[in-house]
Amino acid sequence: MAGMRLVLASGSASRLMLLHNAGVEPIVHPADVDEETILARLETAPPRERVAALAQAKCETVAPVYPADVTVGCDSMLLIDGQLTGKPHTQAEAIRRWENQSGKVGTLLTAHYITGPQCDGSPSRKTFADVSETRVYFASPTRRDIEAYAASGEPLPCAGAFTLEALGSWFIDRIEGDPSGVIGLSIPTLRRALYSLGIDASSLWNR
């Protein structure tokens, strides 16, 4: 598998940062999928299944372009009060989300769908799928801090309207689980995926 690369089917700066910190320089190829349609089709499905479907769709959209490489699709959503929430997109929605989740505990679900390279000319590829779960304990920010955080723009493209690694760290009391999964891509899950595909993690490190 000489020259094999890792393809990230996402434009997330946080996921890219995690891979860079782990010694990997991926190909970044954001997947163009209709997330709302996928979620609507699975409206009554369990939360893990809904998030997993998004990750699989992203990976399967991009993977055919890179038959000799590993492709990683991810998606994250916050499960809180029995409801799944994704990206707030607007300041008003980010404020509303924080007014609801302040002082509560939620579960950040990060789904991974990973395909290995084609082998021996076969069109089939090995796959790995898993959903990491991390409990997130939200602080109770002041109204002014909630508004300032929303105005910063940082939480707008983030599942659950928060980050763990930047400004949002002010308002997270603690987590129980994998920090990288909360940021957007679980490195331990990726390691397990690579091993299941017969690939050493170090084979993807920058040399």
Side-chain angles (χ1 to χ4, degrees):
M1 300 184 183
M4 180 182 56
R5 303 164 299 179
L6 186 146
V7 181
L8 179 62
S10 168
S12 165
S14 296
R15 294 187 180 117
L16 181 59
M17 175 204 69
L18 286 165
L19 290 172
H20 281 165
N21 290 347
V24 179
E25 184 61 53
I27 296 171
V28 177
H29 186 144
D32 184 13
V33 300
D34 187 343
E35 297 186 20
E36 291 186 5
T37 297
I38 293 170
L39 290 174
R41 188 175 68 243
L42 297 170
E43 185 175 2
T44 60
R48 287 173 61 97
E49 186 177 326
R50 300 184 76 201
V51 182
L54 295 176
Q56 181 173 349
K58 291 177 180 180
C59 182
E60 291 182 340
T61 297
V62 171
V65 182
Y66 305 94
D69 302 306
V70 174
T71 302
V72 179
C74 293
D75 201 272
S76 299
M77 297 186 78
L78 179 69
L79 179 62
I80 191 164
D81 293 335
Q83 300 294 318
L84 273 179
T85 63
K87 307 173 182 70
H89 297 299
T90 68
Q91 288 188 35
E93 180 61 13
I95 290 171
R96 189 192 71 78
R97 297 271 187 91
W98 268 98
E99 288 176 338
N100 174 66
Q101 67 199 35
S102 291
K104 295 181 180 180
V105 181
T107 301
L108 202 287
L109 305 176
T110 298
H112 306 72
Y113 193 89
I114 299 163
T115 61
Q118 292 179 5
C119 298
D120 302 322
S122 171
S124 63
R125 303 169 73 160
K126 292 182 178 179
T127 63
F128 177 94
D130 195 17
V131 179
S132 70
E133 297 189 13
T134 303
R135 287 177 64 79
V136 180
Y137 291 74
F138 294 102
S140 299
T142 64
R143 173 72 187 195
R144 184 171 297 177
D145 276 346
I146 288 174
E147 292 176 349
Y149 187 42
S152 76
E154 182 183 279
L156 307 191
C158 299
F162 76 96
T163 61
L164 183 65
E165 73 277 19
L167 289 176
S169 63
W170 284 94
F171 312 124
I172 306 299
D173 280 341
R174 64 188 175 98
I175 66 169
E176 293 175 357
D178 173 21
S180 60
V182 177
I183 295 171
L185 194 165
S186 168
I187 298 301
T189 299
L190 178 58
R191 182 197 66 240
R192 291 193 294 271
L194 293 173
Y195 286 177
S196 76
L197 300 172
I199 300 168
D200 295 322
S202 57
S203 66
L204 294 173
W205 296 351
N206 299 332
R207 302 296 187 185

